[in-house]
Amino acid sequence: MAGDLDNANPVVYQRAKDRDILPENEDENVVDEIDTREVFDLIRIINDPEHPLSLEELKVVEESRVQVSDRDNSVKIEFTPTIPHCSMATLIGLSIRVKLIRSLPARFKVDVSITPGTHASEEAVNKQLADKERVAAALENSHLLEVVNQCLATRR
């Protein structure tokens, strides 16, 4: 099996400390803006498609590469594949996009792309991830949707 992996021995990084939940965070009557850390918390736990690790543990996603404007209803994520020829880059980007679409209010425009200069097919992958019709068509493929859902499944 290890011979089939793009990156059989990835570097594993320390997870960030979980954010403390304050009473005002739990109060449904308090309107608070969606911020960078909240979005990062949504995507950092996504499972890597090849390894039993999260995208955060592989440093594929980092809080510093998350941009959120609650006022402008926009979220921009840059992710960094573990190797320049990662064949899973489109699947990882699709998983991030689906997680955010499912988790954020519909008013948000979600933009997911590869960190510039970190992947051999960066332009092609970014074009696929930015094309709403291609994303919708991909999610109609039951096998692909099953793989995405496995990436998004909570591991305990």
Side-chain angles (χ1 to χ4, degrees), residues 10 23 40 71 78 81 83 96 103 105 112 125-127 140 147:
F40 178 66
R71 185 175 35 104
E78 287 181 349
I83 56 172
I96 293 169
S103 303
V112 178
V125 172
N126 287 344
K127 186 175 181 179
E140 288 178 8
V147 175

Side-chain angles (χ1 to χ4, degrees), residues 18 26 39 49 54 75 78 90 99 101 109 113 125 136 152 154:
D18 288 336
E26 305 251 319
V39 172
S54 70
V75 172
E78 287 181 349
T90 304
K99 176 68 175 183
I101 289 169
K109 179 188 182 302
S113 61
V125 172
L152 300 183
T154 305

Side-chain angles (χ1 to χ4, degrees), residues 26-144:
E26 305 251 319
D27 185 348
E28 295 298 323
N29 297 317
V30 174
V31 177
D32 59 338
E33 289 190 356
I34 293 175
D35 63 14
T36 300
R37 180 56 193 251
E38 188 171 354
V39 172
F40 178 66
D41 284 345
L42 291 171
I43 64 171
R44 73 188 198 139
I45 59 172
I46 295 172
N47 301 312
D48 181 79
E50 289 189 319
H51 299 284
L53 299 165
S54 70
L55 295 185
E56 178 188 25
E57 290 169 314
L58 292 171
K59 216 173 200 175
V60 171
V61 296
E62 300 175 79
E63 187 174 356
S64 63
R65 300 220 171 264
V66 175
Q67 296 176 11
V68 178
S69 175
D70 191 84
R71 185 175 35 104
D72 295 334
N73 303 315
S74 70
V75 172
K76 183 175 180 345
I77 307 291
E78 287 181 349
F79 69 99
T80 308
T82 58
I83 56 172
H85 291 86
C86 176
S87 65
M88 298 289 156
T90 304
L91 176 60
I92 291 168
L94 186 60
S95 297
I96 293 169
R97 176 179 278 292
V98 169
K99 176 68 175 183
L100 294 176
I101 289 169
R102 289 179 182 175
S103 303
L104 294 173
R107 65 185 170 89
F108 278 92
K109 179 188 182 302
V110 175
D111 179 27
V112 178
S113 61
I114 291 180
T115 304
T118 64
H119 194 274
S121 302
E122 170 188 334
E123 190 175 318
V125 172
N126 287 344
K127 186 175 181 179
Q128 285 182 303
L129 294 173
D131 186 327
K132 288 181 183 174
E133 287 79 23
R134 287 176 93 167
V135 169
L139 296 176
E140 288 178 8
N141 176 319
S142 60
H143 174 70
L144 188 54

